[in-house]
Amino acid sequence: MTPKTNKMSTETQKTELIRGGQFLVKETQCEDVFTPENFNEEQKMMKDSVKEFIDREVWPKKAEFEKKNYALTEEVMRKAGELGFLSVAVPEEYEGLGMGFVSTMLVCDYISGATGSLATAFGAHTGIGIMPIVLYGNEEQKKKYIPKLASGEWFGAYCLTEPGAGSDANSGKTKAVLSEDGKYYSISGQKMWISNAGFATIFNVFARIEDDKYITAFILEYDKENPNGISFGEEEKKLGIHSSSTRQVFFNETKVPVENMLSERGNGFKIAMNALNIGRIKLAAACLEAQRRVIDGSVKYANERVQFDTPIAKFGAIKLKLAEMACNAYAGESAVYRASKNIEDRISLRLESGNSQSEAELKGVEEYVIECSLLKVACSEDIQYCSDEGIQIFGGMGFSADAPMESAWRDARIPRIYEGTNEINRMLAVGMLVKKAMKGHVDLLGPATKVANELTGIPSFDKPDYSELFAEEKEILQNLKKIFLMVAGSAVQKFGEKLEEEQQLLLASSDILIEIYMAESSLLRTEKNAKRFGEDTQKEQIAMSKLYLYHAVDKINEKAKEGIISFAQGDEQRMMLMGLKRFTKYQNQPNVVELRNTIAEKLTSENKYTF
Ligand SMILES: Cc1cc2nc3c(=O)[nH]c(=O)nc-3n(C[C@H](O)[C@H](O)[C@H](O)COP(=O)(O)OP(=O)(O)OC[C@H]3O[C@@H](n4cnc5c(N)ncnc54)[C@H](O)[C@@H]3O)c2cc1C
């Protein structure tokens, strides 16, 4: 195959590409990050048409989506297929739009904000439904299945989870037995929590052959007229995403032709995990528009609702909420599109060096698994917080199912659980970083040694020059990175390979990583925009970046302290605590109330999230 760059991919940055996880030890210049303000004309058009579609087909029917109307989700999915929205990530040779990674994320972002039901159906179909075949299928499999899945004629589902195999995904008991004539496998077992099960035609099913160490993936076709041993449980009764079909799927000696094995025997776990890597960053994107819509609804309500003869938007208590909600959403957007462009550039680079499209995509995403996991965790927790505050702003009305906040809050709960729980993703991110360091892909040891030396040295008493935008904030960010290196470096030294058993330390370390990545992304976006559009145009964005960093410093202080006092003793503990104090120090504390008021006043005057 001749290498080609992705159609509609955004212009590749000419600078050396940063590796996954390197954000921690390499200073990134603002010019080197991609921000939502960098969307090209085609991307802007795509964004507008997705938004217009959702405003027309989904938002007015939001209440209907709460009535377990699975047929409505299917109908909207079909319409999305007709408009090409299901095929953005599918290469053109399989009748897809073959768009770049950033565009794929953009569609996922804007299609997912109105109801979690559609977000889940879309994510399951375009992510874990289609991508395993796009990435691992052979030519015949791709030709046979992808065009129909891309157009929405067929829908896809992904059957990994079983009653006894959730987070421990490779422990499934579903069996695949080869027939005597060697022509087909007979699959028997029980899968549960399968999204889109009620209307899917194609099921990517993971099963074990004999006593293989790893499971194997198969493509199964479901035909209502000839069920071939496939049957379904009732629709699950769920807290949220009420119109997303979720069922158990039973396989009773279901015959699958041998040619429907995906990739090779025993490769299923790898396929499952790689499909999830892409799914995770997409899920992060899927949590963005939901935040914007909750903020829009909250701002409008706060402007209209009058108590004590005053619109509640004028109260400091409400301003605080609106500002914090926007500050997180802005950081989430900044971080998601920054990482997406890194992935897109890495894919282009691999295509240029002769990788096939699927190899390039797999390796491109794999490079940034750390960021994918961090973003999944951060954005899924931000939408939860955002919708919770949305309810609070609505007061009693927030608790009513007649107002949009109630369903937003319920729908926001699931992203913390699927695509790997947030606990698993937190631990995975730190585990991957340690692995990358061991492989020499990210040099943690050098910088960690430098920090250790700095701790024993005398701190500089020079008066720094903070006159440039974010000069102090950037210095603090560098210090936050030192905190991670100090704590994690010391923990690795102490526990060695046993570190993976110290889950509470891993969770704390991963929270530090999240805060660093999010705060840095917010700051770099604002700095870049201040340089190109003028600082005076970025007043509220500057406030959001400063506010995010202020909270990040506090959270990192808490998490690092937790680690230090739990595993270090005596002089080592004292020295690290002193380091922590030094590295979290502001010379000029930000005026937090003023920052929040600046942000909230912009939101309420524009009556929406405008960033
Ligand atoms: C609405 C919905 C849709 C879904 N869609 C699909 C789908 O389409 N296809 C599919 O295959 N699956 C799907 N799932 C399944 C989902 O991916 C799993 O629920 C998830 O991976 C967690 O597995 P579990 O429910 O078995 O929880 P468990 O693995 O039992 O976890 C329970 C708790 O223990 C924690 N835990 C588990 N292991 C560890 C560990 N080693 N260390 C520390 N803590 C741990 C978890 O973080 C969690 O807090 C869906 C689930 C839901 C609810």
Side-chain angles (χ1 to χ4, degrees):
M1 188 201 259
T2 35
K4 63 172 193 114
T5 33
N6 283 326
K7 185 185 162 215
M8 279 182 67
S9 66
T10 19
E11 196 193 327
T12 305
Q13 257 129 34
K14 298 284 174 262
T15 47
E16 195 196 331
L17 277 186
I18 193 158
R19 300 203 65 149
Q22 259 185 353
F23 71 89
L24 194 62
V25 284
K26 238 184 161 179
E27 196 177 344
T28 305
Q29 302 302 319
C30 71
E31 291 78 13
D32 296 339
V33 295
F34 179 86
T35 81
E37 293 73 21
N38 286 114
F39 289 150
N40 60 30
E41 283 312 309
E42 284 162 312
Q43 286 166 333
K44 282 184 201 154
M45 269 165 56
M46 194 54 154
K47 172 180 149 184
D48 290 345
S49 59
V50 175
K51 273 184 90 161
E52 191 269 325
F53 171 70
I54 294 298
D55 284 336
R56 177 168 37 91
E57 296 289 341
V58 182
W59 192 249
K61 301 174 193 159
K62 192 161 164 60
E64 191 56 34
F65 276 98
E66 293 317 302
K67 295 183 186 158
K68 304 189 179 176
N69 189 342
Y70 309 104
L72 175 60
T73 303
E74 189 182 340
E75 183 193 315
V76 173
M77 283 288 286
R78 275 199 209 285
K79 287 183 183 164
E82 282 159 21
L83 293 170
F85 300 150
L86 304 179
S87 73
V88 249
V90 171
E92 283 166 297
E93 57 261 53
Y94 308 110
E95 295 171 37
L97 295 178
M99 289 172 131
F101 200 79
V102 172
S103 305
T104 304
M105 297 291 289
L106 187 149
V107 172
C108 187
D109 174 352
Y110 286 93
I111 214 164
S112 302
T115 163
S117 297
L118 179 65
T120 302
F122 178 85
H125 174 68
T126 58
I128 50 188
I130 299 183
M131 288 320 276
I133 308 178
V134 169
L135 298 175
Y136 288 98
N138 58 34
E139 208 44 40
E140 280 97 79
Q141 290 168 341
K142 288 188 199 177
K143 281 203 177 112
K144 185 169 177 192
Y145 296 113
I146 299 296
K148 287 196 164 107
L149 289 165
S151 68
E153 184 181 338
W154 285 352
F155 290 110
Y158 173 92
C159 300
L160 178 65
T161 308
E162 298 185 13
S167 301
D168 187 5
N170 190 45
S171 68
K173 292 198 165 38
T174 298
K175 283 277 173 202
V177 180
L178 187 62
S179 62
E180 275 182 12
D181 60 9
K183 288 193 174 152
Y184 61 87
Y185 282 92
S186 177
I187 295 191
S188 297
Q190 176 184 2
K191 297 287 177 178
M192 74 183 299
W193 301 119
I194 306 308
S195 301
N196 294 354
F199 61 98
T201 302
I202 301 303
F203 291 79
N204 297 315
V205 181
F206 298 85
R208 194 175 311 278
I209 301 171
E210 297 172 344
D211 290 326
D212 286 0
K213 185 172 177 201
Y214 293 111
I215 48 182
T216 299
F218 297 91
I219 308 169
L220 265 67
E221 289 176 43
Y222 173 67
D223 175 2
K224 233 190 260 173
E225 306 304 319
N226 172 25
N228 185 16
I230 303 176
S231 59
F232 301 92
E234 290 297 311
E235 286 290 348
E236 299 290 348
K237 299 180 185 74
K238 306 189 295 287
L239 171 70
I241 55 168
H242 277 169
S243 288
S244 157
S245 169
T246 322
R247 292 175 172 223
Q248 292 200 50
V249 186
F250 303 93
F251 301 99
N252 186 8
E253 299 192 356
T254 300
K255 290 189 176 63
V256 201
V258 285
E259 53 271 20
N260 275 30
M261 183 187 284
L262 198 50
S263 178
E264 289 162 21
R265 176 172 172 172
N267 241 0
F269 188 56
K270 194 166 112 191
I271 297 174
M273 292 304 110
N274 279 326
L276 286 177
N277 287 337
I278 303 183
R280 281 167 188 155
I281 185 160
K282 282 194 180 169
L283 183 53
C287 294
L288 296 176
E289 175 71 354
Q291 289 179 70
R292 295 184 203 105
R293 285 186 186 254
V294 167
I295 296 169
D296 282 355
S298 303
V299 172
K300 285 188 176 69
Y301 187 83
N303 273 335
E304 282 163 21
R305 175 71 176 163
V306 173
Q307 287 292 282
F308 304 96
D309 296 324
T310 313
I312 61 167
K314 298 239 180 286
F315 295 132
I318 301 296
K319 286 184 186 174
L320 180 156
K321 293 185 196 307
L322 293 174
E324 297 289 352
M325 290 152 85
C327 168
N328 287 341
Y330 180 80
E333 287 173 346
S334 315
V336 164
Y337 286 103
R338 171 189 181 187
S340 303
K341 185 64 165 74
N342 286 150
I343 293 175
E344 183 171 291
D345 287 347
R346 180 68 57 183
I347 293 171
S348 298
L349 208 68
R350 286 199 158 264
L351 285 170
E352 280 161 24
S353 68
N355 276 182
S356 69
Q357 181 75 34
S358 40
E359 274 170 339
E361 222 160 292
L362 274 169
K363 293 285 173 203
V365 177
E366 205 181 330
E367 178 65 39
Y368 299 95
V369 276
I370 298 168
E371 287 81 354
C372 291
S373 280
L374 297 178
L375 288 168
K376 188 268 185 190
V377 173
C379 296
S380 64
E381 294 181 1
D382 285 342
I383 178 59
Q384 182 94 66
Y385 166 82
C386 184
S387 56
D388 195 67
E389 289 293 51
I391 289 190
Q392 201 64 18
I393 291 170
F394 272 63
M397 270 315 287
F399 202 63
S400 163
D402 291 333
M405 294 298 140
E406 185 258 4
S407 62
W409 183 81
R410 285 185 291 96
D411 284 3
R413 190 61 186 84
I414 187 61
R416 286 171 57 197
I417 299 171
Y418 56 25
E419 305 276 350
T421 65
N422 280 13
E423 293 73 31
I424 297 289
N425 270 291
R426 278 188 159 91
M427 292 187 284
L428 224 120
V430 182
M432 283 304 302
L433 186 62
V434 173
K435 254 193 207 151
K436 277 190 158 237
M438 283 176 176
K439 279 191 188 167
H441 293 176
V442 180
D443 174 24
L444 292 186
L445 191 66
T449 313
K450 257 193 185 165
V451 177
N453 292 339
E454 192 179 335
L455 280 178
T456 49
I458 301 160
S460 156
F461 292 103
D462 291 348
K463 224 174 158 36
D465 174 11
Y466 291 139
S467 53
E468 261 191 42
L469 175 66
F470 292 146
E472 178 164 12
E473 286 75 14
K474 282 181 168 177
E475 191 179 288
I476 290 174
L477 249 174
Q478 291 315 311
N479 286 340
L480 297 180
K481 294 180 183 182
K482 289 179 188 169
I483 294 175
F484 180 87
L485 293 166
M486 172 178 81
V487 178
S490 178
V492 169
Q493 260 186 0
K494 178 154 185 161
F495 298 106
E497 286 186 356
K498 290 216 158 117
L499 182 62
E500 68 180 69
E501 291 165 24
E502 298 294 324
Q503 290 200 345
Q504 297 186 42
L505 286 182
L506 295 179
L507 295 179
S509 307
S510 132
D511 283 336
I512 299 176
L513 280 182
I514 290 173
E515 292 309 320
I516 292 171
Y517 194 68
M518 300 291 281
E520 184 176 71
S521 303
S522 171
L523 208 120
L524 290 171
R525 174 182 176 185
T526 306
E527 189 191 6
K528 185 174 185 177
N529 288 337
K531 281 191 183 165
R532 47 184 168 174
F533 308 129
E535 214 174 300
D536 51 332
T537 67
Q538 301 295 305
K539 193 171 132 219
E540 296 80 19
Q541 289 89 333
I542 291 170
M544 285 193 284
S545 298
K546 286 188 173 182
L547 183 60
Y548 195 98
L549 183 71
Y550 168 78
H551 289 308
V553 169
D554 269 0
K555 274 188 213 159
I556 290 174
N557 190 31
E558 181 199 331
K559 296 292 169 184
K561 183 176 167 202
E562 185 184 305
I564 294 167
I565 59 178
S566 303
F567 77 80
Q569 282 96 30
D571 283 348
E572 192 196 9
Q573 185 189 96
R574 269 191 293 279
M575 197 170 67
M576 281 205 277
L577 286 175
M578 265 165 49
L580 184 60
K581 204 170 167 193
R582 198 200 300 178
F583 294 146
T584 49
K585 193 171 160 199
Y586 271 98
Q587 300 291 340
N588 305 290
Q589 295 285 350
N591 181 337
V592 175
V593 171
E594 204 174 280
L595 293 178
R596 288 198 194 111
N597 288 345
T598 303
I599 303 161
E601 273 148 30
K602 176 77 174 173
L603 292 166
T604 47
S605 68
E606 301 274 338
N607 208 19
K608 61 181 185 195
Y609 178 86
T610 48
F611 309 106

